[in-house]
């Protein structure tokens, strides 16, 4: 896996140079040696409705698409979001903002994180440096067709760098690469994200006060995060591994926060944010965050939280 991350310190306008590269769109021809020519009505060497996206600087193949796929550079998306934030925050120079750009798999995928340190919310009475959550704007895009252009508001818990998943975990803005319209992100959407972050802080305080029974926690995880709906089994080999990982994390957070809903929540978000996997971490993490959001909408979570 390849990932490039802009070193700290930086500011809103910092966009890593790895997000800037040109892409060439090359139309493909039919290869008669690749398929039984008796079942297709295409002449040898005839152009087909498929185009290869190739990086001009490295020659790396990024994806193969039809002609309605629109190449939208990562850097342009990052710059557009920057413009919205600067319009929404007139005194932007007074804000402490850091960014991180991640370019994965030779340029096939892109993620940008924008952290707003001025809006941190402390979760303990002593205001320890890392016992706080900060708002974060996440930007996703890809050139391999797996991710559309996506912009979402999130929060990060700084003690463990867990992403703070919400029950309504959705992308504020989503745009397919085949869409004729370009992606839009508004000042009101950004400001709404800041308000959601404030409400998230209030919710975290409530979670810290709510006590839970260990057997109820186990049942919640077993019926949600560890439940493989593709099988008729209540628990399978993969689910056993998930339960083992969750049990280990639960011990860590229960020791710090007691047997509380907050410890339940932090265990789940840690499992989602920092997956132990042989696959691509960025793909597994996104999938697991959706699972945590679904858990928080389940009757098992409701039984814990009340």
């Amino acid at each position: 896996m390849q990932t490039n991350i802009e070193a700290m310190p930086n500011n809103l306008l910092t966009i890593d140079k790895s997000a800037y590269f040109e892409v060439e769109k090359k139309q493909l021809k039919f290869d008669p040696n690749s398929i039984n020519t008796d079942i297709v009505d295409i002449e040898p060497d005839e152009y087909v409705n498929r185009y290869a996206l190739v990086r001009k600087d490295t020659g790396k193949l990024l994806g193969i698409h039809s002609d309605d796929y629109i190449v939208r550079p990562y850097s342009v998306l990052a710059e557009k979001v920057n413009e919205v934030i600067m319009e929404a925050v007139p005194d932007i120079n007074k804000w402490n903002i850091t960014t991180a750009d991640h370019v994965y798999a030779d340029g096939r995928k892109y993620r940008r994180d924008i952290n707003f340190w001025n809006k941190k919310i402390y979760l303990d009475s002593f205001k320890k440096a890392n016992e706080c959550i900060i708002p974060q704007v996440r930007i996703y895009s890809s050139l391999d067709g797996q991710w559309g252009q996506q912009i979402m508001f999130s929060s990060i818990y700084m003690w463990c760098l867990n992403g703070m998943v919400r029950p309504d975990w959705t992308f504020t803005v989503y745009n397919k690469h085949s869409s004729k319209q370009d992606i839009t992100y508004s000042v009101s959407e950004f400001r709404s994200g800041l308000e959601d972050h404030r409400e998230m802080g209030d919710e975290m305080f409530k979670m810290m006060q709510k006590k839970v029974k260990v057997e109820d926690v186990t049942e919640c995880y077993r019926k949600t995060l560890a439940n493989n709906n593709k099988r008729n089994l209540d628990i399978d080999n993969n689910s056993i591994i998930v339960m083992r990982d969750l049990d280990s994390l639960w011990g860590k957070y229960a020791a710090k926060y007691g047997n509380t809903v907050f410890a339940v929540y932090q265990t789940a978000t840690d499992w989602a944010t920092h997956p132990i996997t042989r696959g691509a971490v960025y793909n597994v993490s996104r999938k697991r965050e959706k699972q945590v959001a679904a858990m928080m909408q389940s009757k098992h979570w409701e039984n814990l939280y009340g």
Side-chain angles (χ1 to χ4, degrees), residues 169-293:
W169 192 89
T170 56
F171 291 103
T172 304
V173 180
Y174 182 88
N175 192 48
K176 292 183 178 180
H177 286 281
S178 58
S179 173
K180 300 300 181 182
Q181 293 184 331
D182 206 353
I183 194 168
T184 59
Y185 186 56
S186 68
V187 169
S188 62
E189 286 168 329
F190 173 77
R191 289 175 176 167
S192 176
L194 288 179
E195 178 60 23
D196 289 343
H197 170 72
R198 186 192 64 78
E199 294 176 357
M200 171 67 81
D202 295 339
E203 198 67 21
M204 295 298 103
F205 281 113
K206 294 178 183 177
M207 289 184 186
M208 286 180 165
Q209 308 305 315
K210 182 67 175 179
K211 299 293 184 180
V212 294
K213 296 179 180 179
V214 175
E215 56 267 30
D216 292 337
V217 175
T218 300
E219 182 71 1
C220 178
Y221 291 151
R222 192 169 186 266
K223 294 294 188 179
T224 57
L225 303 182
N227 185 31
N228 189 341
N229 293 321
K230 293 182 180 179
R231 300 170 183 255
N232 294 323
L233 301 175
D234 178 48
I235 204 93
D236 61 14
N237 290 335
N238 182 65
S239 299
I240 291 172
I241 295 173
V242 172
M243 288 301 298
R244 181 196 64 195
D245 293 343
L246 290 169
D247 184 63
S248 176
L249 291 168
W250 165 254
K252 167 185 171 182
Y253 288 105
K256 184 173 178 63
Y257 301 110
N259 293 356
T260 62
V261 172
F262 189 67
V264 177
Y265 176 79
Q266 288 287 34
T267 296
T269 55
D270 191 316
W271 173 78
T273 306
H274 311 290
I276 300 173
T277 176
R278 294 179 181 177
V281 171
Y282 47 87
N283 282 332
V284 175
S285 181
R286 281 161 55 90
K287 177 183 177 181
R288 288 188 179 183
E289 284 186 324
K290 293 180 181 179
Q291 290 177 265
V292 174

Side-chain angles (χ1 to χ4, degrees), residues 111 113-116 134-138 152-156:
R111 168 176 168 169
D113 301 332
I114 307 175
N115 300 321
F116 301 88
I134 63 170
Q136 179 187 80
V137 171
R138 293 192 212 170
M152 69 174 290
F153 220 104
S154 180
S155 299
I156 296 293

